């Protein structure tokens, strides 16, 4: 397959996101099956040890276990249906990529009026609208352009409730998200949960609740302090807020109390949430615009402009 002249970055997510969804779904299925089978096996082992005269109770327990297995079957069937839809999207996207590569092989790059170029623009705009927290506009554009199967709006929009809570000064939903994705964030060496904990400590100090802040620090900040020298230094700096909470203009504590800390946390959450779902860190529309503007600044463009200016004189 030939390389698209506009770069592979724009198209990578078309396949990477469905693959990440399938991988996560397979792990979820495996975990659900293992959990249920362990529970059923344990219950059956317990039944074997019961006296024979407890047949009625054993029959009720077997009926309960059967219902549990049937519930697992229904859950797996639902997951299978979701996977089938993801596979359909991935297959459609592969076909479009292969078709586009075959048409552009050995020829000039497609113009902006070419169907694939127009579709790419529509996809990029819909995705950008979703990133900016405009779900209805994003879905409306995707539907009008007929690119719903070529964009992963739901993957991007699923982060919006957490983003909204962070913008409102609430770390709760973000911390729940961190717990739900703890293993994957650990592999990514994420500092998001630690930063959220630090921010909750700051808010207790800001609310002039030193007792609550100290209690919170003992429970949530102490583990980070003993884990590394860097963690200890960070926790010490934040604990200094307790002494300087009445003097917000004193550095280095002034920066810890600034409202833009919430903007930084929001940006970090979005970055790490996108990374876990194989979503590009930057909007594809922004990447494309940056590439185009960079090309306009080349020496060759300046030479052509000078020639045109000279010719016009």
């Amino acid at each position: 397959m030939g390389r698209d002249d506009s770069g592979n970055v724009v198209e990578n997510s078309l396949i990477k996101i469905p693959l990440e969804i399938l991988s996560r779904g397979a792990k979820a299925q495996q975990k659900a099956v293992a959990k249920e089978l362990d529970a059923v096996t344990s219950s059956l082992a317990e039944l074997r040890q019961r006296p024979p005269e407890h047949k009625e109770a054993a029959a009720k327990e077997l009926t309960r276990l059967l219902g549990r297995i049937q519930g697992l079957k229904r859950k797996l069937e639902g997951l299978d249906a979701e996977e089938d839809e993801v596979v359909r999207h991935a297959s459609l996207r592969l076909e479009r990529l292969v078709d586009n590569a075959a048409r552009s092989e050995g020829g000039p790059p497609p113009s902006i009026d070419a169907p694939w170029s127009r579709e790419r623009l529509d996809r990029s705009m819909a995705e950008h609208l979703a990133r900016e927290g405009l779900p209805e506009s994003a879905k409306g554009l995707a539907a009008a352009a007929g690119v719903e199967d070529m964009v992963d709006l739901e993957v991007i929009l699923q982060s919006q409730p957490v983003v909204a809570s962070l913008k409102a000064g609430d770390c709760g939903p973000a911390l729940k998200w961190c717990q739900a994705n703890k293993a994957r964030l650990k592999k990514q060496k994420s500092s998001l949960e630690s930063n959220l904990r630090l921010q909750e400590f700051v808010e207790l100090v800001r609310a002039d609740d030193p007792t609550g802040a100290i209690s919170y620090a003992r429970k949530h900040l102490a583990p980070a302090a003993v884990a590394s020298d860097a963690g200890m230094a960070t926790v010490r700096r934040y604990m200094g807020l307790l002494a300087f909470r009445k003097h917000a203009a004193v550095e280095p504590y002034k920066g810890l109390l600034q409202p833009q800390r919430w903007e930084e946390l929001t940006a970090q959450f979005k970055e790490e949430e996108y990374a876990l779902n194989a979503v590009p860190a930057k909007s594809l529309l922004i990447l494309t615009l940056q590439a185009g503007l960079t090309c306009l600044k080349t020496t060759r463009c300046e030479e052509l402009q000078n020639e045109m200016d000279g010719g016009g004189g």
Side-chain angles (χ1 to χ4, degrees), residues 20-75:
E20 178 62 31
I21 294 173
L22 290 173
S23 174
R24 194 164 60 247
K27 290 177 182 178
Q29 286 192 28
Q30 183 180 17
K31 186 180 293 185
V33 170
K35 179 180 177 181
E36 293 299 323
L37 287 182
D38 286 346
V40 170
T41 302
S42 176
S43 296
L44 289 176
E46 183 183 345
L47 283 176
R48 292 193 192 98
Q49 297 175 0
R50 290 185 181 181
E53 58 268 20
H54 294 170
K55 291 182 179 180
E56 185 175 346
K60 290 182 179 179
E61 180 65 12
L62 287 173
T63 301
R64 186 186 71 81
L65 292 177
L66 179 60
R68 189 164 183 170
I69 293 174
Q70 289 174 339
L72 173 62
K73 179 184 176 183
R74 289 191 295 270
K75 182 178 180 180

Side-chain angles (χ1 to χ4, degrees), residues 129-196:
L129 290 170
R131 285 174 182 262
E132 294 300 309
L134 300 168
E136 297 305 320
S137 297
K139 292 176 182 178
L141 174 58
V147 296
E148 293 132 307
D149 290 336
M150 302 295 289
V151 289
D152 298 284
L153 298 183
E154 295 304 323
V155 176
I156 297 172
L157 292 172
Q158 67 185 3
S159 66
Q160 292 304 309
V162 178
V163 169
S165 69
L166 287 173
K167 289 182 177 179
D170 180 10
C171 292
L175 285 168
K176 289 180 181 178
W177 180 86
C178 287
Q179 288 300 311
N181 296 278
K182 196 174 187 68
R184 299 171 70 203
L185 288 171
K186 186 176 181 180
K187 289 181 181 179
Q188 203 166 280
K189 297 182 179 179
S190 168
S191 62
L192 178 60
E193 183 175 358
S194 297
N195 290 337
L196 290 168

Side-chain angles (χ1 to χ4, degrees), residues 286-312:
I286 298 301
L287 286 174
T288 305
L289 286 172
Q290 287 176 341
L293 291 172
T294 300
C295 291
L296 291 175
K297 293 179 182 178
T298 61
T299 305
R300 180 57 182 158
C301 287
E302 292 179 0
E303 291 174 355
L304 289 174
Q305 185 63 47
N306 291 335
E307 290 175 5
M308 291 174 62
D309 292 341

Side-chain angles (χ1 to χ4, degrees), residues 181-221:
N181 296 278
K182 196 174 187 68
R184 299 171 70 203
L185 288 171
K186 186 176 181 180
K187 289 181 181 179
Q188 203 166 280
K189 297 182 179 179
S190 168
S191 62
L192 178 60
E193 183 175 358
S194 297
N195 290 337
L196 290 168
R197 294 295 184 190
L198 290 168
Q199 188 61 35
E200 289 207 319
F201 172 81
V202 168
E203 295 308 314
L204 288 169
V205 174
R206 196 197 308 275
D208 199 19
D209 183 8
T211 303
I214 293 172
S215 177
Y216 187 90
R218 286 174 176 166
K219 182 177 181 180
H220 297 293
L221 305 187

Side-chain angles (χ1 to χ4, degrees), residues 68-87:
R68 189 164 183 170
I69 293 174
Q70 289 174 339
L72 173 62
K73 179 184 176 183
R74 289 191 295 270
K75 182 178 180 180
L76 293 177
E77 287 173 348
L79 291 174
D80 284 342
E82 292 176 5
E83 285 188 355
D84 289 343
E85 185 66 11
V86 175
V87 170

